[in-house]
Amino acid sequence: SIKMDLLHSNGVLIIQHLQRDYRAYQDFLNFMSHVGDPRNIFSIYFPLWFQLNQVVGTKMIWVAVIGDWFNLIFKWILFGHRPYWWVQETMIYPNQSSPCLEQFPITCETGPGSPSGHAMGSSCVWYVMVTAALSYTVRWKDKSAVTLHRLTWSFLWSIFWIIQISVCISRVFIATHFPHQVVLGVFAGILVAEAFEHTSAIQTASLRMYIKTNLFLFIFALGFYLSLKLLDIDLLWSVPKAKKWCANPDWINIDTTPFAGLVRNLGALFGLGLGINSEMFITSCKGKNSCKISFRILCIAASLATLQMYNFVKIPTHTEYLFYILSFCKSAAMPLTVVALVPYCVHSLVRTTEKKLN
């Protein structure tokens, strides 16, 4: 439509302005784009928070998975273009004089662009972290504590918005999103996170509930995709566009396709359910050692170190279905490691050490 083309063309002007005038901040903006990567939720934020507060850690995974699932459905409904291919195909520029937008190794996302998954994932998870941190100070009653709570409130929410704005600018700077797409992503993420502030059932969910949720999310997404395909609507229309207009074919990654994100999130949710309902979790995280600060610090350090090793595990991409299966298994292994395997190993080590000392 004319209005959407006008919105896109104005977005292109903003991208050109950022790439021209903020060149000195390129490394920082690329870093902030990595900060907003939803995969950091499972490898960095979740291991930290789960060992400190299991309720917050559990909520974080649910918010991240459901938020990313909604992001996928919204992307399929809105059919949002990405700047780096839209400027090459639009007819609004005269004499084929399309603007030149610089691309980067992280530019060539293959899914639709609206809303931004990075902005949505970043806002929903940081919203959970900020509200969790503030929940500790809201109980303070004396006058000086109330003043400190207000200062803490202002500080944490300022940090929240600084991070969200930085992530949004970074995604626009690398020409992978239009400005309206990142704004939509931020507020959609906040809505999802706020919804889970009032959903306590996830804390007592059984393994069966996790499996049912996984099946529902997968069947709904697959059914939605197949139904529209029967109507001759290809929801993977963005993949060939990305391959055609990406400046470097090596920058195209199957890990950015819509179904790759879906499989990754379903694996993480299944791994969390498997871990929380395991005997290893009950033995280690429900015992007397779980209250010790030293036990939690050891679990955090071991979890972060172990998960960084997972980054060296490269999944073969030559067969798409094999990639999805292995991606699911790898994603399930990460929360399972944090929730059950690492705490159980640390618990066993501490118990053995205590026996030797006695």
Side-chain angles (χ1 to χ4, degrees):
S1 67
I2 297 177
K3 289 184 178 179
M4 188 57 67
D5 283 341
L6 182 61
L7 187 64
H8 285 160
S9 62
N10 288 333
V12 168
L13 292 176
I14 294 174
I15 295 170
Q16 287 181 305
H17 168 68
L18 290 174
Q19 291 188 345
R20 181 181 65 250
D21 298 337
Y22 289 79
R23 174 67 57 193
Y25 304 101
Q26 177 180 329
D27 292 338
F28 171 74
L29 292 173
N30 285 335
F31 170 74
M32 289 308 301
S33 188
H34 285 294
V35 168
D37 193 330
R39 285 169 289 196
N40 290 331
I41 299 168
F42 308 117
S43 61
I44 298 177
Y45 305 140
F46 170 67
L48 284 169
W49 273 96
F50 187 83
Q51 306 302 350
L52 294 174
N53 188 315
Q54 293 168 10
V55 172
V56 177
T58 301
K59 185 194 298 183
M60 186 176 292
I61 290 291
W62 277 88
V63 166
V65 169
I66 301 300
D68 209 48
W69 183 82
F70 273 116
N71 182 262
L72 171 64
I73 301 301
F74 288 153
K75 284 180 184 292
W76 279 348
I77 293 174
L78 297 177
F79 281 78
H81 290 275
R82 293 186 185 271
Y84 76 93
W85 76 56
W86 181 82
V87 294
Q88 304 292 341
E89 298 189 343
T90 182
M91 303 298 293
I92 69 168
Y93 296 109
N95 302 322
Q96 297 181 338
S97 57
S98 58
C100 181
L101 299 182
E102 184 175 355
Q103 296 183 25
F104 303 87
I106 55 176
T107 295
C108 299
E109 299 271 352
T110 57
S114 186
S116 166
H118 280 64
M120 190 169 175
S122 176
S123 66
C124 70
V125 170
W126 278 92
Y127 188 93
V128 169
M129 291 192 288
V130 169
T131 53
L134 289 175
S135 68
Y136 290 103
T137 64
V138 75
R139 305 185 188 98
W140 299 342
K141 299 298 182 182
D142 57 275
K143 191 172 182 179
S144 60
V146 170
T147 302
L148 182 58
H149 169 71
R150 288 174 179 171
L151 290 174
T152 305
W153 187 94
S154 300
F155 173 75
L156 290 179
W157 283 116
S158 296
I159 293 296
F160 172 86
W161 284 110
I162 288 172
I163 290 174
Q164 304 320 310
I165 292 171
S166 298
V167 170
C168 289
I169 291 175
S170 71
R171 301 301 288 172
V172 175
F173 174 83
I174 64 174
T176 199
H177 283 296
F178 291 103
H180 70 277
Q181 295 173 343
V182 292
V183 171
L184 179 59
V186 168
F187 287 102
I190 291 174
L191 286 175
V192 172
E194 180 59 29
F196 274 89
E197 290 294 315
H198 312 286
T199 308
S200 58
I202 59 174
Q203 303 297 336
T204 56
S206 64
L207 180 58
R208 178 177 294 182
M209 183 62 185
Y210 276 91
I211 293 174
K212 285 182 178 179
T213 303
N214 255 17
L215 287 175
F216 171 77
L217 296 178
F218 177 73
I219 292 173
F220 185 96
L222 183 63
F224 187 73
Y225 168 78
L226 293 176
S227 298
L228 291 186
K229 193 170 185 178
L230 289 175
L231 298 175
D232 203 27
I233 300 174
D234 183 15
L235 294 180
L236 299 181
W237 59 273
S238 60
V239 178
K241 289 182 181 293
K243 291 180 178 179
K244 180 178 181 180
W245 297 114
C246 184
N248 187 337
D250 294 334
W251 295 347
I252 296 291
N253 191 340
I254 190 176
D255 201 32
T256 66
T257 59
F259 278 112
L262 175 65
V263 169
R264 182 172 58 247
N265 286 298
L266 294 182
L269 188 61
F270 175 74
L272 175 66
L274 198 61
I276 284 180
N277 291 280
S278 68
E279 286 296 326
M280 287 188 293
F281 172 76
I282 296 172
T283 301
S284 56
C285 294
K286 295 296 184 180
K288 61 178 182 179
N289 283 328
S290 62
C291 298
K292 297 178 179 178
I293 297 298
S294 57
F295 175 80
R296 295 186 179 186
I297 292 175
L298 283 173
C299 286
I300 290 173
S303 296
L304 289 173
T306 305
L307 292 187
Q308 297 314 306
M309 294 173 62
Y310 279 109
N311 293 331
F312 295 102
V313 178
K314 301 301 180 183
I315 301 176
T317 59
H318 57 275
T319 304
E320 191 170 358
Y321 293 111
L322 177 62
F323 171 83
Y324 291 145
I325 293 171
L326 295 178
S327 180
F328 178 90
C329 294
K330 180 181 176 181
S331 298
M334 295 176 73
L336 181 62
T337 298
V338 173
V339 171
L341 295 178
V342 165
Y344 184 78
C345 291
V346 173
H347 169 77
S348 300
L349 179 63
V350 170
R351 189 174 58 179
T352 302
T353 303
E354 289 176 348
K355 285 182 178 179
K356 287 181 179 180
L357 292 175
N358 293 330

